[in-house]
Amino acid sequence: MKYLYTVRGDDFARAGKASTEFKHVLSQLGIDPAVIKHSSVAMYEAEINMVIHAGGGVAEADLSPERVLITMRDRGPGIPDIDLAMTEGYSTAPEWIRELGFGAGMGLPNMRRNADELKVESVVGEGTTVTILIRLPTAGEGK
Amino acid sequence: MSPVGLPYFHSVTLDPDRCVGCTTCIKQCPSEAIRVRKGKARIIAERCIDCGECIRTCPHGAKKAVSDSLSALGDFRLKVAMPAPALFSQFEESISIDRILGGLLALGFDEVFEVAEAAELVTAATKGLMEGRMAGTPDAQPRPLVSSACPAVVKLVQVRYPSLIPNLVPLLPPMEVAARYVKEVLHPGESGIGVFFISPCAGKVTAARAPLGYEKSAVDAVIGLKDIYLPLRAALGKAGKKPISHAGGAGLAWAMSEGESKALGERRSISVDGIANVIGVLEALENGKLKGIQYIEALACPAGCVGGPLTVENPYISRSRLGNRAISLMPTATSRSLGCLGSLAWDNPILPRSSRLLDPDMLRAMIMLEEIEHLVGQLPGLDCGSCGSPTCQSLAEDVVRGNALETDCIFRLRETVRELAGRLLALEELKPPGLDTE
Ligand SMILES: Nc1ncnc2c1ncn2[C@@H]1O[C@H](COP(=O)(O)OP(=O)(O)OP(=O)(O)O)[C@@H](O)[C@H]1O
Ligand code: SF4
Ligand SMILES: [Mg+2]
């Protein structure tokens, strides 16, 4: 089952809406609270990155009984050095973004911590795709 | 019937005689727990968090809290009044706390015990917890800690933010500490003791009857602040002169926003009041946004308990009065120590209880979700509320859960009627072969 959300790049006040809506879906399905938390944190960080660094994009969340697969696609400037971007504390966020409490360079590392698998693909000048995979505990197994 | 242990006990109820079936409350409820069906509002028990938002907003006064009346005093040998600190905010500052306490005695109580004193004890225990000094609690408790003093917030976390249950302060709230103190420390082993909590809200009624975090409450009866307000005003004149207040300013200030975090002395804290704002902060916390914050004081009511749904004064006037009272007192004044109460830790863990779950079987829930999505696409998206559900999305959920019909939507109904009319016209054209004239 697939859910599509448009993430607007010009509306900072609404940033986080896609992850909130998808969280609602997960709780309707009775997904384990710990899994919901991991998925919300990872999706939220990716969504904020799309707003701050890439002018918005599209979030797609695909759900099966085994896993949550979240794909965040944007047509922003791309990331020249992905390994560097994944480093804790690395950020290119401008001053005004930092004043809003973002730009600590913790988003991507946080996504990696919360996802079971994280893939960042990017082409400079074309855009970035972040894929977050979170496995669901099978019945009887905790996370 | 004892409501203890009832899974979905809640204290906010409807007065059907006053309800006119307008849709004001369904729009205001932060849990989407109210529907209008057959011309009357109904509360969905498993969703109600007892925040009292509907009590506040119903234009017809049709929502109330099930509380006890003063006549329950007759059931006990020794009656102890336990006023929430919010009570003192409802009177002008010229009326001293001692006079208000004296008024309670004049109303027929034998003793008074200020819940603000217990709040001082809870503050001390919370400090211990923050510094990792408390035995028997999870050592790796995540930060920030979220205050568990407001029962509406605790229930909100349980049904909507279950991943944050481990962040809740696992300590008894001041009301419960006060009641146990009265029974176990001041009157151990005595029978016939009746502990009456004077409450600013419905949430505390629920916390006394079907608590979360502890098995059974030591509170015997809960009297709504607005029910006792007028008799108490009348009794003020008869109050004796003996000074009886023991509580300090810090305990008093628990009834208003920022009071709890200031008492803790933790600067890396967030104080949030009003249920919509609380939801915003918990949402941010669940998204991992509040790094570095150590403590969240979250109160469901505007300005804190001084704005509780059973209070009578404007919340901001009350807060200003209580603030003035608090600064005129020593911050901590109670001379009580926990004594035989020992620890203030919860007796029971709180278990998650999602109010949004569609079906315990995930595959089945997924099918239902697809049906909901499909149906939402057919609805006009106006969220007008005429169907009795707060939004088009929630009507779709109600239909798929089997609790409403698609044609409850007046727009869908109109379309259906139009289709039907078209079919009728077409049928009317058809004549039985025998009557068909050429
Ligand atoms: N979608 C994207 N498009 C372009 N650049 C990106 C994108 N996502 C991340 N980046 C780059 O990677 C850097 C690190 O991202 P990360 O999320 O870890 O930190 P941040 O967003 O700068 O700060 P924080 O997430 O702590 O608020 C960013 O500063 C930015 O240069
Ligand atoms: S803020 Fe205070 S008065 Fe309001 S619901 Fe919570 S405990 Fe009750
Ligand atoms: Mg980021």
CSV table of all heavy atoms in Angstrom, one decimal, chain B residues 258-279:
chain,number,residue,atom,x,y,z
B,258,GLU,N,4.4,26.8,34.1
B,258,GLU,CA,5.7,27.2,34.5
B,258,GLU,C,6.0,26.9,36.0
B,258,GLU,O,7.2,26.9,36.4
B,258,GLU,CB,6.1,28.6,34.2
B,258,GLU,CG,6.2,28.8,32.7
B,258,GLU,CD,6.8,30.2,32.3
B,258,GLU,OE1,7.2,31.0,33.1
B,258,GLU,OE2,6.9,30.3,31.0
B,259,GLY,N,4.9,26.7,36.8
B,259,GLY,CA,5.1,26.5,38.2
B,259,GLY,C,6.0,25.3,38.5
B,259,GLY,O,6.9,25.3,39.3
B,260,GLU,N,5.7,24.2,37.8
B,260,GLU,CA,6.3,23.0,38.1
B,260,GLU,C,7.8,23.0,37.7
B,260,GLU,O,8.7,22.6,38.4
B,260,GLU,CB,5.6,21.9,37.2
B,260,GLU,CG,5.3,20.6,37.8
B,260,GLU,CD,4.7,19.7,36.8
B,260,GLU,OE1,3.6,20.1,36.3
B,260,GLU,OE2,5.3,18.7,36.5
B,261,SER,N,8.1,23.6,36.5
B,261,SER,CA,9.5,23.6,36.0
B,261,SER,C,10.3,24.6,36.9
B,261,SER,O,11.5,24.3,37.1
B,261,SER,CB,9.6,23.8,34.5
B,261,SER,OG,8.6,24.7,34.1
B,262,LYS,N,9.6,25.7,37.3
B,262,LYS,CA,10.4,26.6,38.1
B,262,LYS,C,10.7,26.0,39.5
B,262,LYS,O,11.8,26.2,40.0
B,262,LYS,CB,9.6,27.9,38.3
B,262,LYS,CG,9.7,28.8,37.1
B,262,LYS,CD,9.5,30.3,37.4
B,262,LYS,CE,9.6,31.1,36.2
B,262,LYS,NZ,8.4,31.8,35.8
B,263,ALA,N,9.8,25.2,40.0
B,263,ALA,CA,10.0,24.6,41.3
B,263,ALA,C,11.1,23.6,41.2
B,263,ALA,O,11.9,23.4,42.1
B,263,ALA,CB,8.7,23.9,41.7
B,264,LEU,N,11.3,23.0,40.0
B,264,LEU,CA,12.3,22.0,39.8
B,264,LEU,C,13.7,22.7,39.6
B,264,LEU,O,14.7,22.1,39.8
B,264,LEU,CB,12.1,21.2,38.5
B,264,LEU,CG,11.3,19.9,38.6
B,264,LEU,CD1,11.1,19.3,37.2
B,264,LEU,CD2,12.0,19.0,39.5
B,265,GLY,N,13.6,23.9,39.1
B,265,GLY,CA,14.9,24.7,38.9
B,265,GLY,C,15.6,24.2,37.7
B,265,GLY,O,16.8,24.3,37.6
B,266,GLU,N,14.9,23.5,36.8
B,266,GLU,CA,15.6,23.0,35.5
B,266,GLU,C,15.3,24.0,34.4
B,266,GLU,O,14.2,24.2,34.0
B,266,GLU,CB,15.0,21.7,35.2
B,266,GLU,CG,15.5,21.1,33.9
B,266,GLU,CD,17.0,21.0,33.8
B,266,GLU,OE1,17.5,20.1,34.4
B,266,GLU,OE2,17.6,21.7,33.0
B,267,ARG,N,16.4,24.7,34.0
B,267,ARG,CA,16.3,25.7,32.9
B,267,ARG,C,16.0,25.1,31.5
B,267,ARG,O,15.4,25.7,30.7
B,267,ARG,CB,17.5,26.6,32.9
B,267,ARG,CG,17.4,27.7,33.9
B,267,ARG,CD,18.5,28.7,33.8
B,267,ARG,NE,19.8,28.0,33.9
B,267,ARG,CZ,20.7,27.9,32.9
B,267,ARG,NH1,20.4,28.5,31.8
B,267,ARG,NH2,21.8,27.3,33.1
B,268,ARG,N,16.6,23.9,31.3
B,268,ARG,CA,16.4,23.2,30.0
B,268,ARG,C,15.0,22.5,30.0
B,268,ARG,O,14.9,21.3,29.8
B,268,ARG,CB,17.5,22.2,29.8
B,268,ARG,CG,18.9,22.9,29.5
B,268,ARG,CD,20.0,21.9,29.7
B,268,ARG,NE,19.9,21.3,31.1
B,268,ARG,CZ,20.7,20.3,31.4
B,268,ARG,NH1,21.5,19.7,30.6
B,268,ARG,NH2,20.6,19.8,32.7
B,269,SER,N,14.0,23.3,30.2
B,269,SER,CA,12.7,22.7,30.3
B,269,SER,C,11.7,23.5,29.4
B,269,SER,O,12.0,24.6,29.0
B,269,SER,CB,12.1,22.6,31.7
B,269,SER,OG,12.0,23.9,32.2
B,270,ILE,N,10.6,22.8,29.0
B,270,ILE,CA,9.6,23.5,28.2
B,270,ILE,C,8.3,23.4,29.0
B,270,ILE,O,8.0,22.3,29.6
B,270,ILE,CB,9.4,22.8,26.9
B,270,ILE,CG1,10.6,22.9,26.0
B,270,ILE,CG2,8.1,23.3,26.2
B,270,ILE,CD1,10.5,22.2,24.6
B,271,SER,N,7.7,24.5,29.1
B,271,SER,CA,6.4,24.5,29.8
B,271,SER,C,5.3,24.8,28.8
B,271,SER,O,5.4,25.8,28.1
B,271,SER,CB,6.4,25.6,30.9
B,271,SER,OG,5.1,25.8,31.4
B,272,VAL,N,4.3,23.9,28.7
B,272,VAL,CA,3.3,24.1,27.6
B,272,VAL,C,1.9,23.9,28.2
B,272,VAL,O,1.7,23.0,29.1
B,272,VAL,CB,3.6,23.1,26.4
B,272,VAL,CG1,3.7,21.7,26.9
B,272,VAL,CG2,2.5,23.3,25.4
B,273,ASP,N,1.0,24.8,27.9
B,273,ASP,CA,-0.3,24.7,28.4
B,273,ASP,C,-1.3,24.8,27.3
B,273,ASP,O,-1.1,25.4,26.2
B,273,ASP,CB,-0.6,25.7,29.5
B,273,ASP,CG,-0.3,27.1,29.0
B,273,ASP,OD1,0.9,27.5,28.9
B,273,ASP,OD2,-1.3,27.9,28.7
B,274,GLY,N,-2.5,24.2,27.5
B,274,GLY,CA,-3.5,24.2,26.4
B,274,GLY,C,-3.3,22.9,25.6
B,274,GLY,O,-2.2,22.7,25.1
B,275,ILE,N,-4.4,22.1,25.4
B,275,ILE,CA,-4.2,20.8,24.9
B,275,ILE,C,-3.7,20.8,23.4
B,275,ILE,O,-2.8,20.0,23.1
B,275,ILE,CB,-5.5,20.0,25.0
B,275,ILE,CG1,-5.3,18.5,24.7
B,275,ILE,CG2,-6.6,20.5,24.1
B,275,ILE,CD1,-4.6,17.8,25.8
B,276,ALA,N,-4.1,21.8,22.6
B,276,ALA,CA,-3.6,21.9,21.2
B,276,ALA,C,-2.1,22.1,21.3
B,276,ALA,O,-1.3,21.5,20.5
B,276,ALA,CB,-4.3,22.9,20.4
B,277,ASN,N,-1.6,23.0,22.1
B,277,ASN,CA,-0.2,23.3,22.2
B,277,ASN,C,0.6,22.0,22.8
B,277,ASN,O,1.7,21.8,22.3
B,277,ASN,CB,0.1,24.5,23.2
B,277,ASN,CG,-0.6,25.7,22.6
B,277,ASN,OD1,-0.6,25.9,21.4
B,277,ASN,ND2,-1.0,26.6,23.5
B,278,VAL,N,0.0,21.3,23.7
B,278,VAL,CA,0.6,20.1,24.2
B,278,VAL,C,0.8,19.1,23.1
B,278,VAL,O,1.9,18.5,23.0
B,278,VAL,CB,-0.2,19.5,25.4
B,278,VAL,CG1,0.3,18.1,25.7
B,278,VAL,CG2,-0.3,20.4,26.6
B,279,ILE,N,-0.2,19.0,22.3
B,279,ILE,CA,-0.1,18.0,21.1
B,279,ILE,C,1.0,18.5,20.2
B,279,ILE,O,1.9,17.6,19.8
B,279,ILE,CB,-1.5,18.0,20.4
B,279,ILE,CG1,-2.5,17.2,21.2
B,279,ILE,CG2,-1.3,17.3,19.0
B,279,ILE,CD1,-3.9,17.2,20.7
